[in-house]
């Protein structure tokens, strides 16, 4: 509830609020968890992911006495809205899965409890630094994850070499943006339609923020502070120039790279299996270009948190035991092996065929382990920031002057910040970010 509402949003929330008022007693807190039962919500992602999680729940329930996990899958497309509805009606589960950057908004809404004193030191130490960074807000740990993500460039080695293009080995020798511009021109000169780069323009929503906000960060900008700085404008002008030069395949069929139409694809870890099948040993994985302040890349994926509905020490202990079960190396790999994501623990990475030092996707793991990734903005305002940046990217793609597009996004973010009084902690002093202004029935 931190983004700037559209009229349809306000109407939906008012109807939801009226519905909730008819079913709740005023002043009641969330209904207590049933003894021994841990209610868990997860997103209904790929079928293989659902099957793995279902088997993990079965293994946990069989191995534990006195605790039973009840798993419910929620459609991914409406996941956040259903969480918000459950929060309003005080019917959150005990354990909640959510996309990583939403943790700060959920904490601000008082929907999550800190787990610093619940998680064991050994499990916490094994987590990737990126997962700890993403799950920490105002010095407290609120979420953990069994996997993380990787973002980079996939290329066809033979075509890059034929065009005389240097192949970077890692973030330290990533192409500068000027080198990347020359590489695109060299590849285009050898291509009949000059379309040589796939930016996954067929994807919508969160992809724009995940895939392209690292450009702003590589240029030295920040999404919640200098989104429209001169360096950020210059960086995004490079992207607009790629589009204007005709270097970018629109990828309507999602086959620009696998069909061989383009030799470069800007995308994440999840395409590796399809790309490796299509390209074979000619496939190379590369870091994103350096836009001035070093090559930056994205991080973050689906996380787990314990909700305020799980309010008793017994419930919280049981919930944490389930999450620690999921973080065992064999369980981490069970999920990572089907979704292709970067395993969320150091032990699991060491055992992974894809991400161990000799693995084909070692670059992604190395970036996460070395702190060369940047989390999406760590603020309750994230839903507004991502929406504003998505709109800005669409405007830039459609030819609007970059500064105009980024100014518009920065203004929307600033208005939201003012509307929410900088997300201060109401009733506990203004410490910058905190509790929300809530709808009252």
């Amino acid at each position: 509830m931190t983004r700037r509402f559209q009229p349809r949003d306000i109407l939906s929330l008012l109807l939801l609020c009226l519905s909730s008022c008819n079913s709740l007693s005023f002043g009641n807190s969330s209904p207590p968890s049933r003894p021994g039962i841990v209610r868990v919500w997860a997103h209904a992602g790929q079928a293989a992911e659902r099957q793995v999680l279902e088997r993990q729940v079965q293994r946990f329930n069989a191995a534990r006495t006195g605790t039973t996990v009840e798993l419910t899958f929620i459609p991914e497309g409406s996941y956040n809205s259903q969480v918000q509805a459950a929060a309003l009606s005080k019917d959150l589960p005990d354990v909640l899965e959510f996309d990583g950057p939403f943790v700060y908004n959920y904490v601000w809404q008082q929907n999550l409890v800190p787990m610093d004193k619940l998680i064991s030191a050994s499990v916490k130490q094994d987590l990737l630094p990126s997962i700890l960074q993403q799950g920490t807000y105002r010095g407290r740990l609120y979420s953990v994850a069994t996997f993380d993500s990787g973002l980079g460039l996939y290329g066809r080695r033979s075509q890059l070499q034929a065009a005389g293009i240097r192949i970077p080995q890692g973030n330290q020798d990533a192409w500068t943006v000027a080198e990347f511009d020359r590489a695109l021109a060299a590849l285009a000169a050898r291509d009949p339609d000059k379309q040589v780069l796939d930016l996954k323009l067929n994807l919508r929503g969160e992809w724009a923020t995940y895939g392209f906000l690292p450009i702003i960060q590589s240029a030295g900008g920040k999404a919640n502070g200098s989104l429209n700085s001169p360096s950020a404008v210059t960086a995004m002008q490079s992207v607009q120039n790629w589009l204007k030069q005709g270097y970018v395949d629109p990828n309507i069929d999602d086959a620009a790279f696998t069909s061989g139409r383009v030799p470069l694809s800007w995308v994440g870890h999840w395409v590796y299996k399809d790309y490796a099948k299509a390209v074979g040993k000619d496939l190379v994985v590369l870091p994103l270009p350096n836009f001035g302040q070093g090559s930056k890349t994205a991080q973050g994926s689906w996380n787990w948190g314990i909700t305020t509905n799980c309010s008793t020490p017994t419930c919280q202990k049981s919930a944490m035991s389930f999450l620690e079960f999921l973080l065992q190396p064999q369980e981490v790999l069970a999920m990572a092996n089907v979704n292709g994501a970067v395993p969320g623990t150091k032990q699991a990475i060491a055992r992974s065929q894809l991400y161990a030092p000799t693995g084909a996707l070692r670059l992604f793991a190395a970036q996460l382990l070395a702190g060369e990734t940047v989390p999406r903005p760590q603020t309750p305002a994230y839903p507004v920031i991502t929406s504003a940046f998505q709109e800005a990217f669409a405007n830039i793609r459609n030819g609007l002057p970059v500064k105009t597009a980024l100014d518009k996004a920065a203004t929307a973010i600033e208005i939201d910040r003012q509307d929410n009084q900088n997300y201060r902690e109401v009733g506990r002093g203004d410490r910058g970010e905190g509790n929300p202004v809530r709808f009252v029935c």
Side-chain angles (χ1 to χ4, degrees), residues 170-183:
N171 278 38
Q172 300 309 311
D173 69 335
W175 291 318
T176 65
V177 68
E179 277 187 287
F180 189 59
D181 287 343
R182 291 195 295 270

Side-chain angles (χ1 to χ4, degrees), residues 179-202:
E179 277 187 287
F180 189 59
D181 287 343
R182 291 195 295 270
L184 293 177
L187 291 168
R190 302 170 59 86
D191 191 283
D193 66 5
K194 299 189 181 304
Q195 293 181 351
V196 295
L197 175 64
D198 168 31
L199 294 178
K200 288 294 177 185
L201 296 182
N202 55 303

Side-chain angles (χ1 to χ4, degrees), residues 119 123-129 131-132 144-145 327 344-346:
I119 189 171
V123 172
K124 183 177 180 180
Q125 187 177 15
D126 196 31
L127 287 168
L128 293 183
I131 287 176
L132 291 173
V144 294
L327 290 169
T345 67
K346 300 166 191 172

Side-chain angles (χ1 to χ4, degrees), residues 149-155 160 166-181 183-184 197-200 207-219 235-236 238-239 242 264-271 275 284-299 363-364 366-368 372-376 389 393:
S149 60
L151 173 69
L153 284 162
Y154 292 85
L160 296 176
R166 178 180 69 87
I167 297 179
Q169 300 303 305
N171 278 38
Q172 300 309 311
D173 69 335
W175 291 318
T176 65
V177 68
E179 277 187 287
F180 189 59
D181 287 343
L184 293 177
L197 175 64
D198 168 31
L199 294 178
K200 288 294 177 185
W207 165 244
T209 308
Y210 178 85
F212 304 109
L213 196 54
I215 292 175
I216 301 289
Q217 293 154 332
S218 176
M236 292 306 295
S238 293
V239 179
W242 303 339
L264 286 171
S265 181
W266 183 304
V267 67
H269 68 269
W270 54 89
V271 301
Y275 281 16
V284 61
V285 183
L286 307 164
L288 297 181
N290 176 359
F291 286 81
Q293 300 296 318
S295 174
K296 305 295 182 185
T297 189
Q299 68 177 59
L363 173 67
F364 295 153
Q367 290 172 333
L368 293 165
E372 294 170 334
T373 62
V374 181
R376 280 162 282 177
F389 186 75
F393 186 81

Side-chain angles (χ1 to χ4, degrees), residues 135-170:
T136 300
Y137 179 60
R138 300 188 64 81
R140 306 295 302 275
L141 182 66
Y142 287 92
S143 71
V144 294
T146 64
F147 54 87
D148 210 317
S149 60
L151 173 69
L153 284 162
Y154 292 85
R156 291 175 179 262
R157 185 186 299 272
S158 59
Q159 292 190 42
L160 296 176
Q161 291 174 335
I165 298 168
R166 178 180 69 87
I167 297 179
Q169 300 303 305

